[in-house]
Amino acid sequence: MQTRAAVLTAIGKPAPYAASRPLEVRPVSLEEPGYGEVLIRIRAAGLCHSDLSVINGSRPRPVPMVLGHEAAGEVVDVGPGVDRLQPGDHVVCAFVPSCGHCGPCQEGRPNLCEAGAEANARGTLLSGARRLHAEDGDSLHHHLGVSAFAEYAVMSQHSLVRVPPDVPFDELAVFGCAVMTGVGAVVNTARVPAGALVAVIGLGGVGLAALLGAAAAGARRIVAIDVNPAKLRLAETLGATDVFDARDPDVAPQVQAATGGGVEFAIETAGAVAALETAFRVTRRGGMTVTTGLPHPDARFALSPALLTAEERTLKGSYVGSCVPSRDIPRYLEMYRRGRLPVNRLLSGHISLDDINDGFDRLDRGEVNRLVMVPST
Ligand SMILES: NC(=O)c1ccc[n+]([C@@H]2O[C@H](COP(=O)([O-])OP(=O)(O)OC[C@H]3O[C@@H](n4cnc5c(N)ncnc54)[C@H](O)[C@@H]3O)[C@@H](O)[C@H]2O)c1
Ligand SMILES: [Zn+2]
Ligand SMILES: [Zn+2]
């Protein structure tokens, strides 16, 4: 079938993107879903910094590629071998498909699926196929098995979680990345207990979701840190008890003074080495620093092994919030329904597919949390 999609043709075009137009919104053809695959009508797709990092070259991926990995939609058609979904179902996309058979999948860690990681690095669906083609017939790459900046998409059934039909699609979309990543980093990776001292460093979509997760987990203090004062003000309305400007060179001693020696859990959600350094410095002796950020793969973080040993510190990475999507999306949705995770507060507005470059300018300038693209058809 024919559809329209935002195709990234070249990496590293300069901002402003409204002028350089790294994403070209144009007609593309979509093959029918193959074995185990599903045709989805995209109803909403969030703009995440990980998409921006592909555009600016911090997260190198093969091009041409249809971006977008945080999305919700409706099943239109299913290929052979699809047993868990049928037309009309509402779904949230998970940006790591899981094979169910590899070592990590067998250990209950589908976010680390080996086949899923390989397919994502190659820009294919889990099957290895590419179902997207340019008008000249050349194949386009899929982004994280989702490619949601489009009107329709074909995905593996293992990239999809069925959800109840009564939640608005724009709110559902953010569960696919920001909520799983931010809430999961707190609940699954750090396992923050009630009464803990928590800091969140970097208050974008992921960080604000982490803040909501820390509040839901019952943290007694939530320290919010960012370089953007507007984000600090917003964080105060979402449950932050203390806010600090990361540009202040004394931010670490200030947090230590405010928390009696630093926080027990610091969650880095900025994607900058400087933010990870801040996160580590505001963590107390015996504490845990969790990083969700994805700076350029060549970036390095200097750490004192002696400090790690003598203070029994933990430094832990968190990918997709260590989530099992089919378990955690329904859990977080129910928390949202009960008012425990007001993820609607993460939304900064809606844009059309045609305005996608302008949307990335707004994310790049730090003006928004989650902008959601809603296709017009
Ligand atoms: N681990 C995962 O599974 C996963 C999933 C999604 C996104 N990510 C990554 O998480 C990061 C955040 O994504 P997002 O979409 O929330 O980004 P965003 O652009 O919406 O937010 C980033 C925030 O960090 C702040 N910031 C930048 N430098 C800082 C510093 N030195 N100290 C403190 N704050 C700083 C910015 O002002 C901004 O508020 C990105 O690196 C993204 O690629 C990881
Ligand atoms: Zn994302
Ligand atoms: Zn697997």
Side-chain angles (χ1 to χ4, degrees), residues 106-132:
Q106 285 185 336
E107 286 169 16
R109 303 176 79 182
N111 60 318
L112 302 181
C113 175
E114 289 165 2
E118 195 179 322
N120 283 358
R122 287 195 183 155
T124 70
L125 298 183
L126 185 62
S127 62
R130 288 197 264 156
R131 305 279 179 217
L132 279 162

Side-chain angles (χ1 to χ4, degrees), residues 5 13 31 93 130-131 155 166 181 209 327 334 347 350:
K13 283 195 180 177
E31 282 177 40
C93 306
R130 288 197 264 156
R131 305 279 179 217
M155 302 176 203
D166 60 338
T181 303
R327 176 196 71 189
E334 194 168 339
L347 302 185
H350 303 95

Side-chain angles (χ1 to χ4, degrees), residues 20-336:
S20 64
R21 306 195 80 74
L23 295 170
E24 295 174 18
V25 179
R26 48 164 139 107
V28 299
S29 68
L30 201 51
E31 282 177 40
E32 285 184 0
Y35 188 88
E37 293 170 357
V38 181
L39 174 65
I40 303 292
R41 178 182 169 201
I42 302 294
R43 298 295 299 272
L47 279 63
C48 171
H49 206 107
S50 298
D51 298 299
L52 183 57
S53 296
V54 181
I55 294 170
N56 68 25
S58 308
R59 189 121 174 101
R61 296 281 169 187
V63 291
M65 175 177 271
V66 175
L67 291 187
H69 65 279
E70 177 184 88
E74 205 173 338
V75 175
V76 177
D77 194 11
V78 298
V82 173
D83 41 16
R84 298 180 302 179
L85 294 167
Q86 54 188 31
D89 283 349
H90 291 198
V91 287
V92 171
C93 306
F95 62 88
V96 180
S98 52
C99 72
H101 311 298
C102 70
C105 279
Q106 285 185 336
E107 286 169 16
R109 303 176 79 182
N111 60 318
L112 302 181
C113 175
E114 289 165 2
E118 195 179 322
N120 283 358
R122 287 195 183 155
T124 70
L125 298 183
L126 185 62
S127 62
R130 288 197 264 156
R131 305 279 179 217
L132 279 162
H133 305 279
E135 281 190 311
D136 61 10
D138 280 358
S139 292
L140 303 171
H141 294 87
H142 296 258
H143 188 210
L144 304 176
V146 177
S147 289
F149 296 149
E151 292 165 348
Y152 291 87
V154 170
M155 302 176 203
S156 165
Q157 63 177 336
H158 301 298
S159 296
L160 297 165
V161 176
R162 187 154 54 94
V163 293
D166 60 338
V167 183
F169 284 108
D170 54 352
E171 291 169 16
L172 276 178
V174 297
F175 281 81
C177 181
V179 174
M180 271 205 289
T181 303
V183 177
V186 170
V187 174
N188 295 328
T189 313
R191 295 190 174 277
V192 167
L197 289 167
V198 178
V200 179
I201 299 87
L203 304 168
V206 176
L208 293 172
L211 198 159
L212 297 179
R220 78 179 188 277
R221 291 276 283 278
I222 306 175
V223 176
I225 303 175
D226 202 290
V227 291
N228 178 344
K231 304 277 188 146
L232 300 180
R233 286 196 294 275
L234 176 63
E236 281 176 319
T237 71
L238 293 176
T241 56
D242 307 72
V243 298
F244 294 93
D245 191 326
R247 296 168 302 178
D248 185 335
D250 289 331
V251 65
Q254 285 174 14
V255 173
Q256 281 157 8
T259 56
V263 297
E264 292 151 359
F265 300 92
I267 318 288
E268 182 274 321
T269 46
V273 174
L276 181 54
E277 284 166 353
T278 302
F280 196 76
R281 281 166 46 221
V282 303
T283 309
R284 69 168 56 206
R285 294 164 64 81
M288 181 186 290
T289 309
V290 170
T291 179
T292 71
L294 290 164
H296 191 283
D298 293 343
R300 292 291 178 271
F301 169 61
L303 187 65
S304 156
L307 186 82
L308 206 57
T309 301
E311 296 192 357
E312 284 202 353
R313 303 282 212 101
T314 304
L315 175 63
K316 216 170 170 186
S318 179
Y319 196 51
V320 204
S322 313
C323 283
V324 178
S326 58
R327 176 196 71 189
D328 291 326
I329 287 179
R331 282 187 185 177
Y332 300 159
L333 263 172
E334 194 168 339
M335 290 169 73
Y336 154 80

